[in-house]
Amino acid sequence: MTERALRLLRQDPHLAELAAFPFAFDLSRADHVEEVRLASGGPLEPIAGDDSGGTYFVCGDGSVLYADSEGSAGTIGDSVDEALEILVGLPGWHDYVGLSPTDGEARILAEIAATEGDFREDCVPDLDARRTELRTALGLPERSPVQLVARLHAALLRTEPDHLLLNAVEHLAYRRLDPHPRPPLWEQVLAKGRTDLALLRTGDRTVWDGVAENRARRVATLRAAQYDRRNTDRALLRHLLKHEADASMSDELRLAVVLVGLYGLAEDLPLLREVHETTYDTWCGLAGLPEEAGEVQAWARSFDDSNYGTDPDDEPESTWLELARDQGMVEAARVYLIRQLDDTGPDAAQLAVLRDELALIGDYTQAIRAARLHRSLQDTDQGRAAADARLTELERKAVDAPAAES
């Protein structure tokens, strides 16, 4: 459904001309400088452009994505109406993408005053009158510049993971339009686990089974407990361990055994031994688990020191990618992997990892890109043959994937 403000611009040439200058939203410039697509595969409709070669796109969820002509992109509003609020209220918005609410009202207003002063002096002495006319005609609310900067900042931070823009030919990602830091993948993945861990810590047993019986929630909660350890968590850790033991041998099962074993309590030994002897895989995976209660804590500490830690930055990225897949956070994993692929130089080992991880989330286009780069670095007949075989396999899966989804 076309939003009201955009519909009015399309129906009224005068308003369209006013939006084009001085507010740089020109309906006649909707052709982008190159073919692009969203990494997620979602719909993307160009609706306007500006005189610098930038283009405004509407995404499937209604968000407006702006892409400049130099390879940078970012969302600037949750809707066309919100984007127009920002463009009309902040005609120099490109200069404000580095601002955030933490910069304070005084600095924000000073930068806006300087930019708009130049506007008025150079070419638009009646800027305020034009802004009032367009804002009124489109029915846009009047917000303070500080509010609009806050909205722009929030919109830019929402660009990823759903609105990552790619060159449709080379499949390289556009750079971020703003310089603001983003949380690492582990922080995104652990967020739900931290929430569930906090729920379990309230002592409300009615939520324990809901978390423990859902494997994606359970393993994320165990990982959250790994990095936020409390002496009062023993009961909930035992509960999670019992449910994880019903699944196959996993790193999280080993983690749960270690976290319970660190308490060093004799009454936990029967449970730990039962888990150890569940299957041959658990027997192997928990090798060395003592049969004497007094030795369990030392074993757990040794295992903890060599396999786990308290800093998620030290964890292999494969851990977070697997958890992201388990939680259905495919787009977060995709963004991470594509950004890594774009930044990876002639590193055959890293390219092989990225190739395989991209294949696991079903992005065969990017997996093939990584595979071709990996193939180009092979300097032996054996290496080239293996790389060719993997590339052929991915190309076949890329052809089969659309049929499987239909």
Side-chain angles (χ1 to χ4, degrees), residues 346-353 355 370-391:
D347 185 334
Q350 176 69 355
L351 288 168
V353 170
R355 174 199 64 196
R372 287 173 176 163
L373 291 170
H374 177 262
R375 166 64 172 79
S376 70
L377 297 176
Q378 303 307 306
D379 55 8
T380 67
D381 289 343
Q382 184 178 8
R384 284 189 288 269
D388 282 339
R390 183 66 172 127
L391 177 57

Side-chain angles (χ1 to χ4, degrees), residues 223 226-227 229 250-256 258 303-310 315:
R223 287 294 177 180
Q226 175 186 347
Y227 302 110
R229 305 184 183 194
S250 66
D251 198 39
E252 284 76 25
L253 176 59
R254 188 183 295 111
L255 171 62
V258 167
F303 221 107
D304 188 31
D305 291 342
S306 59
N307 293 276
Y308 304 108
T310 56
E315 195 74 30

Side-chain angles (χ1 to χ4, degrees), residues 231-258:
N231 292 331
T232 54
D233 284 346
R234 175 173 166 263
L236 68 87
L237 290 171
R238 282 175 55 92
H239 192 71
L240 295 171
L241 169 57
K242 290 176 182 177
H243 283 78
E244 185 63 18
D246 292 336
S248 58
M249 182 63 206
S250 66
D251 198 39
E252 284 76 25
L253 176 59
R254 188 183 295 111
L255 171 62
V257 168
V258 167

Side-chain angles (χ1 to χ4, degrees), residues 55-280:
T55 308
Y56 300 94
F57 299 87
V58 176
C59 304
D61 62 357
S63 298
V64 174
L65 179 71
Y66 174 81
D68 66 22
S69 60
E70 303 299 322
S72 298
T75 54
I76 61 170
D78 280 345
S79 65
V80 176
D81 286 2
E82 182 175 275
L84 283 167
E85 281 186 46
I86 290 169
L87 300 183
V88 175
L90 302 173
W93 70 271
H94 293 86
D95 295 336
Y96 314 141
V97 294
L99 293 175
S100 78
T102 60
D103 290 315
E105 182 175 339
R107 178 186 169 186
I108 292 171
L109 292 177
E111 293 205 20
I112 292 172
T115 300
E116 294 196 358
D118 291 340
F119 263 79
R120 294 184 180 90
E121 182 177 341
D122 293 341
C123 55
V124 197
D126 58 345
L127 174 63
D128 293 326
R130 293 182 182 221
R131 175 159 43 206
T132 298
E133 179 184 357
L134 186 57
R135 182 183 276 158
T136 301
L138 298 182
L140 302 177
E142 183 173 354
R143 303 186 196 277
S144 73
V146 174
Q147 287 178 306
L148 293 175
V149 166
R151 283 176 168 245
L152 175 60
H153 175 260
L156 289 167
L157 293 182
R158 289 193 296 271
T159 303
E160 297 173 4
D162 294 324
H163 305 128
L164 179 66
L165 192 66
L166 305 179
N167 172 292
V169 177
E170 298 174 340
H171 311 297
L172 297 167
Y174 271 53
R175 297 179 301 274
R176 292 169 182 154
L177 197 61
D178 65 90
H180 304 299
R182 301 309 200 269
L185 181 62
W186 67 257
E187 189 171 321
Q188 301 173 58
V189 171
L190 275 188
K192 293 179 181 178
R194 287 170 166 171
T195 298
D196 279 338
L197 180 59
L199 281 174
L200 298 185
R201 283 173 172 168
T202 64
D204 182 358
R205 294 300 184 103
T206 61
V207 304
W208 280 34
D209 285 344
V211 174
E213 292 173 2
N214 182 305
R215 186 167 195 279
R217 295 178 69 182
R218 182 173 69 243
V219 299
T221 303
L222 283 168
R223 287 294 177 180
Q226 175 186 347
Y227 302 110
D228 180 12
R229 305 184 183 194
R230 298 187 187 179
N231 292 331
T232 54
D233 284 346
R234 175 173 166 263
L236 68 87
L237 290 171
R238 282 175 55 92
H239 192 71
L240 295 171
L241 169 57
K242 290 176 182 177
H243 283 78
E244 185 63 18
D246 292 336
S248 58
M249 182 63 206
S250 66
D251 198 39
E252 284 76 25
L253 176 59
R254 188 183 295 111
L255 171 62
V257 168
V258 167
L259 291 176
V260 172
L262 286 172
Y263 287 91
L265 298 178
E267 56 261 42
D268 290 329
L269 183 58
L271 172 61
L272 299 181
R273 294 300 307 174
E274 178 185 351
V275 172
H276 175 268
E277 296 165 10
T278 302
T279 66
Y280 179 72

